[in-house]
Amino acid sequence: VLNSVDEVLINYSNIISLIFPLILGSPNMIANYVVCESEVFDVCIIDEASMIPLEDAFSLLYRSKRWIVSGDIKQLPPASYQKNIEKYNKYQLMQAENSSNEKLEEVIKYNIFETPVSLLEYIGTKIQTVVLEYHYRSIKKELFEFSNIVFYKKMIHVADDQKEKDA
């Protein structure tokens, strides 16, 4: 008798991959429920890679023969709320124990605003990147205009904008 989903997934991973050749999941889900062997997957597609901390991506990369990594380096980096809360608590404890502000180096050591390196940030320095020049998510091109000017130097064409130019 199998007691949990993990046991089913680990013990019957070969049969499950025949029935379900495509698996959608988060890095944590894959790490917890897919057997930890190299090249379990033919291809791993990682979207929004700017939001995935590098350390969370290792298990995905290890389990895959090939990778397709996509994302936007100009989007928000991965959030690490729990780690920042722990650092903040250590900082507050340190403040309570030492009321003077003379130990600035101690405060710097517990930087609560530290953000982890994303998979996209790391891998983007190692491989050739391709910039997609079309934005298709905004219903009105004005919604994306500020970002396009400030962050993308007007390199991105809003899909509606392109239709108007072609007309």
Side-chain angles (χ1 to χ4, degrees), residues 144-161:
F144 184 69
E145 190 172 355
F146 174 79
S147 296
N148 196 17
I149 293 168
V150 174
F151 299 111
Y152 301 101
K153 311 288 187 246
K154 296 184 180 180
M155 292 176 23
I156 310 298
H157 303 283
V158 177
D160 288 346
D161 192 20

PDB file of all heavy atoms in Angstrom, residues 144-161:
ATOM      1  N   PHE A 144       1.836  50.256 -21.556  1.00  0.00           N
ATOM      2  CA  PHE A 144       3.222  49.778 -21.599  1.00  0.00           C
ATOM      3  C   PHE A 144       4.207  50.892 -21.962  1.00  0.00           C
ATOM      4  O   PHE A 144       5.412  50.722 -21.849  1.00  0.00           O
ATOM      5  CB  PHE A 144       3.322  48.630 -22.611  1.00  0.00           C
ATOM      6  CG  PHE A 144       4.672  47.990 -22.664  1.00  0.00           C
ATOM      7  CD1 PHE A 144       5.138  47.226 -21.602  1.00  0.00           C
ATOM      8  CD2 PHE A 144       5.495  48.152 -23.767  1.00  0.00           C
ATOM      9  CE1 PHE A 144       6.383  46.643 -21.638  1.00  0.00           C
ATOM     10  CE2 PHE A 144       6.746  47.564 -23.812  1.00  0.00           C
ATOM     11  CZ  PHE A 144       7.186  46.807 -22.744  1.00  0.00           C
ATOM     12  N   GLU A 145       3.697  52.032 -22.361  1.00  0.00           N
ATOM     13  CA  GLU A 145       4.536  53.111 -22.886  1.00  0.00           C
ATOM     14  C   GLU A 145       5.619  53.566 -21.905  1.00  0.00           C
ATOM     15  O   GLU A 145       6.783  53.726 -22.280  1.00  0.00           O
ATOM     16  CB  GLU A 145       3.656  54.296 -23.285  1.00  0.00           C
ATOM     17  CG  GLU A 145       4.393  55.355 -24.064  1.00  0.00           C
ATOM     18  CD  GLU A 145       3.440  56.412 -24.602  1.00  0.00           C
ATOM     19  OE1 GLU A 145       2.216  56.278 -24.451  1.00  0.00           O
ATOM     20  OE2 GLU A 145       3.950  57.366 -25.173  1.00  0.00           O
ATOM     21  N   PHE A 146       5.273  53.760 -20.623  1.00  0.00           N
ATOM     22  CA  PHE A 146       6.259  54.210 -19.635  1.00  0.00           C
ATOM     23  C   PHE A 146       7.417  53.220 -19.531  1.00  0.00           C
ATOM     24  O   PHE A 146       8.583  53.599 -19.599  1.00  0.00           O
ATOM     25  CB  PHE A 146       5.603  54.398 -18.264  1.00  0.00           C
ATOM     26  CG  PHE A 146       6.591  54.724 -17.182  1.00  0.00           C
ATOM     27  CD1 PHE A 146       7.079  56.010 -17.053  1.00  0.00           C
ATOM     28  CD2 PHE A 146       7.040  53.739 -16.310  1.00  0.00           C
ATOM     29  CE1 PHE A 146       8.011  56.319 -16.063  1.00  0.00           C
ATOM     30  CE2 PHE A 146       7.966  54.032 -15.320  1.00  0.00           C
ATOM     31  CZ  PHE A 146       8.455  55.334 -15.202  1.00  0.00           C
ATOM     32  N   SER A 147       7.096  51.934 -19.368  1.00  0.00           N
ATOM     33  CA  SER A 147       8.142  50.909 -19.266  1.00  0.00           C
ATOM     34  C   SER A 147       8.984  50.865 -20.529  1.00  0.00           C
ATOM     35  O   SER A 147      10.206  50.698 -20.471  1.00  0.00           O
ATOM     36  CB  SER A 147       7.523  49.532 -19.019  1.00  0.00           C
ATOM     37  OG  SER A 147       6.877  49.510 -17.786  1.00  0.00           O
ATOM     38  N   ASN A 148       8.347  50.989 -21.660  1.00  0.00           N
ATOM     39  CA  ASN A 148       9.059  50.939 -22.928  1.00  0.00           C
ATOM     40  C   ASN A 148      10.075  52.078 -23.032  1.00  0.00           C
ATOM     41  O   ASN A 148      11.204  51.874 -23.475  1.00  0.00           O
ATOM     42  CB  ASN A 148       8.077  50.988 -24.096  1.00  0.00           C
ATOM     43  CG  ASN A 148       8.702  50.560 -25.398  1.00  0.00           C
ATOM     44  OD1 ASN A 148       9.756  49.938 -25.425  1.00  0.00           O
ATOM     45  ND2 ASN A 148       8.055  50.900 -26.487  1.00  0.00           N
ATOM     46  N   ILE A 149       9.697  53.257 -22.590  1.00  0.00           N
ATOM     47  CA  ILE A 149      10.602  54.409 -22.651  1.00  0.00           C
ATOM     48  C   ILE A 149      11.715  54.277 -21.619  1.00  0.00           C
ATOM     49  O   ILE A 149      12.896  54.397 -21.935  1.00  0.00           O
ATOM     50  CB  ILE A 149       9.816  55.720 -22.446  1.00  0.00           C
ATOM     51  CG1 ILE A 149       8.878  55.969 -23.632  1.00  0.00           C
ATOM     52  CG2 ILE A 149      10.770  56.904 -22.267  1.00  0.00           C
ATOM     53  CD1 ILE A 149       7.856  57.067 -23.395  1.00  0.00           C
ATOM     54  N   VAL A 150      11.352  54.030 -20.367  1.00  0.00           N
ATOM     55  CA  VAL A 150      12.321  54.052 -19.269  1.00  0.00           C
ATOM     56  C   VAL A 150      13.230  52.827 -19.251  1.00  0.00           C
ATOM     57  O   VAL A 150      14.440  52.952 -19.091  1.00  0.00           O
ATOM     58  CB  VAL A 150      11.586  54.191 -17.910  1.00  0.00           C
ATOM     59  CG1 VAL A 150      12.556  54.070 -16.749  1.00  0.00           C
ATOM     60  CG2 VAL A 150      10.843  55.520 -17.857  1.00  0.00           C
ATOM     61  N   PHE A 151      12.670  51.644 -19.428  1.00  0.00           N
ATOM     62  CA  PHE A 151      13.454  50.427 -19.264  1.00  0.00           C
ATOM     63  C   PHE A 151      13.964  49.833 -20.574  1.00  0.00           C
ATOM     64  O   PHE A 151      15.018  49.218 -20.610  1.00  0.00           O
ATOM     65  CB  PHE A 151      12.646  49.361 -18.526  1.00  0.00           C
ATOM     66  CG  PHE A 151      12.250  49.784 -17.147  1.00  0.00           C
ATOM     67  CD1 PHE A 151      10.927  50.035 -16.845  1.00  0.00           C
ATOM     68  CD2 PHE A 151      13.196  49.948 -16.154  1.00  0.00           C
ATOM     69  CE1 PHE A 151      10.550  50.432 -15.575  1.00  0.00           C
ATOM     70  CE2 PHE A 151      12.837  50.351 -14.882  1.00  0.00           C
ATOM     71  CZ  PHE A 151      11.506  50.594 -14.590  1.00  0.00           C
ATOM     72  N   TYR A 152      13.209  49.987 -21.643  1.00  0.00           N
ATOM     73  CA  TYR A 152      13.550  49.303 -22.891  1.00  0.00           C
ATOM     74  C   TYR A 152      14.040  50.228 -23.996  1.00  0.00           C
ATOM     75  O   TYR A 152      14.264  49.789 -25.117  1.00  0.00           O
ATOM     76  CB  TYR A 152      12.344  48.486 -23.386  1.00  0.00           C
ATOM     77  CG  TYR A 152      11.901  47.458 -22.393  1.00  0.00           C
ATOM     78  CD1 TYR A 152      10.801  47.671 -21.578  1.00  0.00           C
ATOM     79  CD2 TYR A 152      12.596  46.267 -22.252  1.00  0.00           C
ATOM     80  CE1 TYR A 152      10.404  46.733 -20.650  1.00  0.00           C
ATOM     81  CE2 TYR A 152      12.197  45.319 -21.329  1.00  0.00           C
ATOM     82  CZ  TYR A 152      11.106  45.559 -20.534  1.00  0.00           C
ATOM     83  OH  TYR A 152      10.712  44.621 -19.611  1.00  0.00           O
ATOM     84  N   LYS A 153      14.193  51.514 -23.690  1.00  0.00           N
ATOM     85  CA  LYS A 153      14.716  52.494 -24.662  1.00  0.00           C
ATOM     86  C   LYS A 153      13.933  52.476 -25.976  1.00  0.00           C
ATOM     87  O   LYS A 153      14.512  52.564 -27.052  1.00  0.00           O
ATOM     88  CB  LYS A 153      16.201  52.253 -24.930  1.00  0.00           C
ATOM     89  CG  LYS A 153      17.066  52.105 -23.695  1.00  0.00           C
ATOM     90  CD  LYS A 153      17.253  53.421 -22.989  1.00  0.00           C
ATOM     91  CE  LYS A 153      18.263  53.272 -21.876  1.00  0.00           C
ATOM     92  NZ  LYS A 153      17.756  53.444 -20.564  1.00  0.00           N
ATOM     93  N   LYS A 154      12.625  52.293 -25.887  1.00  0.00           N
ATOM     94  CA  LYS A 154      11.697  52.269 -27.030  1.00  0.00           C
ATOM     95  C   LYS A 154      12.010  51.165 -28.042  1.00  0.00           C
ATOM     96  O   LYS A 154      11.694  51.283 -29.218  1.00  0.00           O
ATOM     97  CB  LYS A 154      11.680  53.626 -27.741  1.00  0.00           C
ATOM     98  CG  LYS A 154      11.160  54.764 -26.891  1.00  0.00           C
ATOM     99  CD  LYS A 154      11.087  56.040 -27.706  1.00  0.00           C
ATOM    100  CE  LYS A 154      10.580  57.181 -26.878  1.00  0.00           C
ATOM    101  NZ  LYS A 154      10.492  58.414 -27.643  1.00  0.00           N
ATOM    102  N   MET A 155      12.619  50.077 -27.574  1.00  0.00           N
ATOM    103  CA  MET A 155      12.954  48.964 -28.461  1.00  0.00           C
ATOM    104  C   MET A 155      11.781  48.001 -28.663  1.00  0.00           C
ATOM    105  O   MET A 155      11.792  47.201 -29.581  1.00  0.00           O
ATOM    106  CB  MET A 155      14.141  48.167 -27.896  1.00  0.00           C
ATOM    107  CG  MET A 155      15.438  48.911 -27.902  1.00  0.00           C
ATOM    108  SD  MET A 155      16.824  48.027 -27.119  1.00  0.00           S
ATOM    109  CE  MET A 155      16.391  46.335 -27.188  1.00  0.00           C
ATOM    110  N   ILE A 156      10.790  48.063 -27.798  1.00  0.00           N
ATOM    111  CA  ILE A 156       9.699  47.094 -27.840  1.00  0.00           C
ATOM    112  C   ILE A 156       8.511  47.696 -28.586  1.00  0.00           C
ATOM    113  O   ILE A 156       8.125  48.838 -28.352  1.00  0.00           O
ATOM    114  CB  ILE A 156       9.261  46.701 -26.408  1.00  0.00           C
ATOM    115  CG1 ILE A 156      10.467  46.298 -25.552  1.00  0.00           C
ATOM    116  CG2 ILE A 156       8.199  45.608 -26.445  1.00  0.00           C
ATOM    117  CD1 ILE A 156      11.230  45.104 -26.033  1.00  0.00           C
ATOM    118  N   HIS A 157       7.930  46.900 -29.463  1.00  0.00           N
ATOM    119  CA  HIS A 157       6.738  47.318 -30.194  1.00  0.00           C
ATOM    120  C   HIS A 157       5.533  46.638 -29.562  1.00  0.00           C
ATOM    121  O   HIS A 157       5.529  45.429 -29.372  1.00  0.00           O
ATOM    122  CB  HIS A 157       6.826  46.893 -31.664  1.00  0.00           C
ATOM    123  CG  HIS A 157       8.032  47.421 -32.356  1.00  0.00           C
ATOM    124  ND1 HIS A 157       8.130  48.722 -32.776  1.00  0.00           N
ATOM    125  CD2 HIS A 157       9.203  46.823 -32.683  1.00  0.00           C
ATOM    126  CE1 HIS A 157       9.307  48.902 -33.342  1.00  0.00           C
ATOM    127  NE2 HIS A 157       9.981  47.768 -33.293  1.00  0.00           N
ATOM    128  N   VAL A 158       4.541  47.429 -29.235  1.00  0.00           N
ATOM    129  CA  VAL A 158       3.295  46.868 -28.726  1.00  0.00           C
ATOM    130  C   VAL A 158       2.562  46.282 -29.917  1.00  0.00           C
ATOM    131  O   VAL A 158       2.525  46.887 -30.990  1.00  0.00           O
ATOM    132  CB  VAL A 158       2.451  47.944 -28.012  1.00  0.00           C
ATOM    133  CG1 VAL A 158       1.120  47.377 -27.540  1.00  0.00           C
ATOM    134  CG2 VAL A 158       3.229  48.525 -26.846  1.00  0.00           C
ATOM    135  N   ALA A 159       1.991  45.110 -29.765  1.00  0.00           N
ATOM    136  CA  ALA A 159       1.367  44.397 -30.880  1.00  0.00           C
ATOM    137  C   ALA A 159       0.370  45.268 -31.634  1.00  0.00           C
ATOM    138  O   ALA A 159       0.385  45.299 -32.862  1.00  0.00           O
ATOM    139  CB  ALA A 159       0.693  43.121 -30.379  1.00  0.00           C
ATOM    140  N   ASP A 160      -0.486  46.021 -30.933  1.00  0.00           N
ATOM    141  CA  ASP A 160      -1.429  46.920 -31.610  1.00  0.00           C
ATOM    142  C   ASP A 160      -0.684  47.979 -32.409  1.00  0.00           C
ATOM    143  O   ASP A 160      -1.086  48.351 -33.492  1.00  0.00           O
ATOM    144  CB  ASP A 160      -2.345  47.614 -30.595  1.00  0.00           C
ATOM    145  CG  ASP A 160      -3.354  46.664 -30.004  1.00  0.00           C
ATOM    146  OD1 ASP A 160      -3.524  45.568 -30.547  1.00  0.00           O
ATOM    147  OD2 ASP A 160      -3.963  47.027 -28.979  1.00  0.00           O
ATOM    148  N   ASP A 161       0.401  48.462 -31.843  1.00  0.00           N
ATOM    149  CA  ASP A 161       1.225  49.476 -32.490  1.00  0.00           C
ATOM    150  C   ASP A 161       1.727  48.963 -33.837  1.00  0.00           C
ATOM    151  O   ASP A 161       1.711  49.671 -34.833  1.00  0.00           O
ATOM    152  CB  ASP A 161       2.405  49.815 -31.582  1.00  0.00           C
ATOM    153  CG  ASP A 161       3.163  51.060 -32.004  1.00  0.00           C
ATOM    154  OD1 ASP A 161       2.587  51.878 -32.740  1.00  0.00           O
ATOM    155  OD2 ASP A 161       4.333  51.201 -31.614  1.00  0.00           O
TER     156      ASP A 161
END
